[in-house]
Amino acid sequence: MTKTKKEKLDDVLSAFMQVGQIRASGIVSKEGLLINARTPPDVDARIFSALCSTIMGAAEAASGQMNTGAVNEISVRTEKGIIILKPAGEKAIFTALAEPDAQLGLLLFEMESRAAQVEEILKEM
């Protein structure tokens, strides 16, 4: 039996959450609509999605104005966690909310491959 896009995206998020030190992860459209997410009860996935889209849009606008090329990743470190955004093709953003002491290198490495998987799944017709 062939899996649906939703099931494939669920698999990507589930595998990513196994990395550890991740409180939430999601797949968001560039317009800020929630595609899929794994979030704890204290994180509103729809608001998180909209805010991630806004952050990505601002970074892309700044990058365009400064002629620095495409945005490859964004990380925002706060006292209570790290927000990480990674483009997943032209239409989506792979997002994560990690613990403040998370190993950023490991998370970025994992996000690179997961974002590529999301891009491929969303391209399927």
Side-chain angles (χ1 to χ4, degrees), residues 11-70:
D11 290 347
V12 171
L13 290 177
S14 293
F16 179 66
M17 294 296 288
Q18 297 302 312
V19 172
Q21 296 184 299
I22 302 166
R23 289 184 43 213
S25 66
I27 302 161
V28 180
S29 75
K30 291 275 181 125
E31 295 80 23
L33 300 174
L34 179 63
I35 296 173
N36 203 332
R38 294 278 187 286
T39 58
D42 66 328
V43 175
D44 186 322
R46 294 187 192 286
I47 292 173
F48 183 65
S49 298
L51 294 173
C52 287
S53 174
T54 300
I55 293 168
M56 182 62 77
E60 288 175 341
S63 177
Q65 284 296 313
M66 296 179 205
N67 294 319
T68 58

Side-chain angles (χ1 to χ4, degrees), residues 53-121:
S53 174
T54 300
I55 293 168
M56 182 62 77
E60 288 175 341
S63 177
Q65 284 296 313
M66 296 179 205
N67 294 319
T68 58
V71 174
N72 190 29
E73 68 199 34
I74 299 168
S75 64
V76 179
R77 189 178 294 271
T78 70
E79 63 187 45
K80 294 185 179 181
I82 308 168
I83 300 167
I84 309 164
L85 310 175
K86 183 88 177 147
E90 293 186 21
K91 297 179 181 178
I93 307 164
F94 191 78
T95 66
L97 175 58
E99 298 296 336
D101 60 343
Q103 295 180 355
L104 191 57
L106 174 62
L107 293 179
L108 292 173
F109 177 79
E110 284 292 326
M111 288 185 79
E112 180 79 28
S113 67
R114 306 298 177 198
Q117 290 175 332
V118 169
E119 180 178 10
E120 287 304 311
I121 292 167

Side-chain angles (χ1 to χ4, degrees), residues 2-3 5 8 91 119-125:
T2 304
K3 289 186 177 185
K5 279 187 185 186
K8 290 177 184 179
K91 297 179 181 178
E119 180 178 10
E120 287 304 311
I121 292 167
L122 294 177
K123 280 183 182 177
E124 295 174 5
M125 292 310 245

